[in-house]
Amino acid sequence: MEPTIYVDMRSQPCRAVVMFLSCSTIPHIISKVDVLKGDQKKPEYSSLCPLMKVPGMKDGSLSISESVAIIRYLAAKFPDKYPDHWYPADLSRRAKIDEYISFHHQGMREPLSGLVEKILFVPEPLPKERIDEQVKFCNVSLDVFERVFISNTPFISGDEISVADALAVNEILDTNVCGYDFTKDRPKLKEYVDRIRTRLGPDLFDQIYEESKQWAKEIKESKQ
Ligand SMILES: N[C@@H](CCC(=O)N[C@@H](CS)C(=O)NCC(=O)O)C(=O)O
């Protein structure tokens, strides 16, 4: 039986896992979890993934959460079923990707996903200064990202796309749901995002973003 991957496609780490899977022949079944309806807290899911977050994965008697753990598990279990550059067997190339992955949660997700959280998932709107402060945090982090991870190379690990880019691009674009497009004033970052879309193929990329774009549209309309 193939692994089941539990996702809500409005979620950045879920889209990163799906991007990797879509560029592989790793056998899998996708099962949808609606986070906005609270499916992640229902016993069917929380008994498998007690962290009650998506993505999740079940493979036989193993069930885990955390996008990075899921990607690493699938890459290790199916090494011949994805183009090597996604998570190279070569130690040095893999180390470059692992360097970004280790940076990712604090360095990118905390500021960027934090902004989405502070705008969309608070009971009362926060004062403008709190939002400005978070936007500043995002910009400081994106400065580091541009300077350290994509200063001389088209992708994080060099000339080819990898799981690091899948994780990064999904955080970079996620703030669009709440009206913040950080690629607007950052040509280097915009080129990077466009390069990933081209490399994946615009059809696949847009398909992965479809539910998120629809959600962004609904949020925008609800504010008018
Ligand atoms: N570090 C986790 C983050 C998972 C996460 O925060 N998922 C969010 C969606 S983006 C979630 O499931 N939220 C539901 C909740 O907190 O109730 C990963 O990379 O998988």
Side-chain angles (χ1 to χ4, degrees):
M1 181 85 175
E2 51 270 77
T4 302
I5 315 296
Y6 299 93
V7 298
D8 181 322
M9 291 301 283
R10 290 165 297 198
S11 144
Q12 318 81 302
C14 292
R15 289 194 300 270
V17 173
V18 171
M19 263 184 195
F20 171 51
L21 285 172
S22 305
C23 297
S24 79
T25 53
I26 294 174
H28 64 279
I29 297 169
I30 294 284
S31 175
K32 295 283 178 87
V33 175
D34 190 327
V35 162
L36 296 184
K37 287 194 181 142
D39 289 353
Q40 74 281 20
K41 296 186 177 139
K42 293 184 180 155
E44 306 90 280
Y45 188 75
S46 65
S47 59
L48 286 177
C49 298
L51 283 175
M52 293 188 266
K53 305 261 183 199
V54 286
M57 187 206 74
K58 178 165 168 47
D59 187 25
S61 59
L62 172 74
S63 49
I64 53 169
S65 299
E66 292 292 330
S67 53
V68 171
I70 294 168
I71 288 171
R72 283 196 173 126
Y73 174 81
L74 294 171
K77 179 160 180 181
F78 300 102
D80 302 330
K81 295 211 178 295
Y82 59 90
D84 181 69
H85 58 80
W86 276 94
Y87 197 47
D90 175 82
L91 198 57
S92 312
R93 289 171 60 211
R94 185 170 284 205
K96 281 314 282 180
I97 295 167
D98 284 341
E99 179 189 39
Y100 174 76
I101 287 177
S102 304
F103 164 85
H104 175 76
H105 274 85
Q106 245 186 329
M108 294 284 271
R109 190 164 161 76
E110 194 179 320
L112 293 160
S113 170
L115 180 61
V116 177
E117 195 94 22
K118 286 190 164 75
I119 294 176
L120 294 186
F121 299 114
V122 282
E124 292 291 323
L126 293 176
K128 185 177 174 306
E129 308 82 74
R130 292 278 304 281
I131 302 298
D132 289 348
E133 204 176 283
Q134 190 73 23
V135 169
K136 200 169 157 198
F137 182 21
C138 292
N139 276 310
V140 169
S141 304
L142 288 168
D143 285 346
V144 173
F145 178 73
E146 288 186 318
R147 181 172 53 79
V148 175
F149 293 101
I150 53 165
S151 68
N152 303 312
T153 53
F155 299 101
I156 293 174
S157 72
D159 290 336
E160 260 299 0
I161 193 164
S162 73
V163 296
D165 302 295
L167 288 159
V169 75
N170 278 295
E171 290 302 329
I172 293 166
L173 290 182
D174 203 58
T175 55
N176 288 358
V177 294
C178 57
Y180 284 84
D181 178 0
F182 286 97
T183 66
K184 236 171 45 196
D185 303 321
R186 291 177 175 271
K188 192 173 187 66
L189 198 66
K190 172 145 181 38
E191 275 171 29
Y192 170 69
V193 169
D194 289 347
R195 196 176 299 126
I196 292 174
R197 184 167 177 266
T198 306
R199 179 66 184 80
L200 284 185
D203 286 351
L204 173 61
F205 191 88
D206 294 347
Q207 185 194 323
I208 288 173
Y209 269 91
E210 208 173 286
E211 287 179 41
S212 178
K213 277 198 175 147
Q214 181 57 31
W215 184 39
K217 199 167 147 232
E218 284 163 19
I219 293 169
K220 203 170 168 195
E221 284 166 3
S222 74
K223 286 190 174 161
Q224 282 165 356

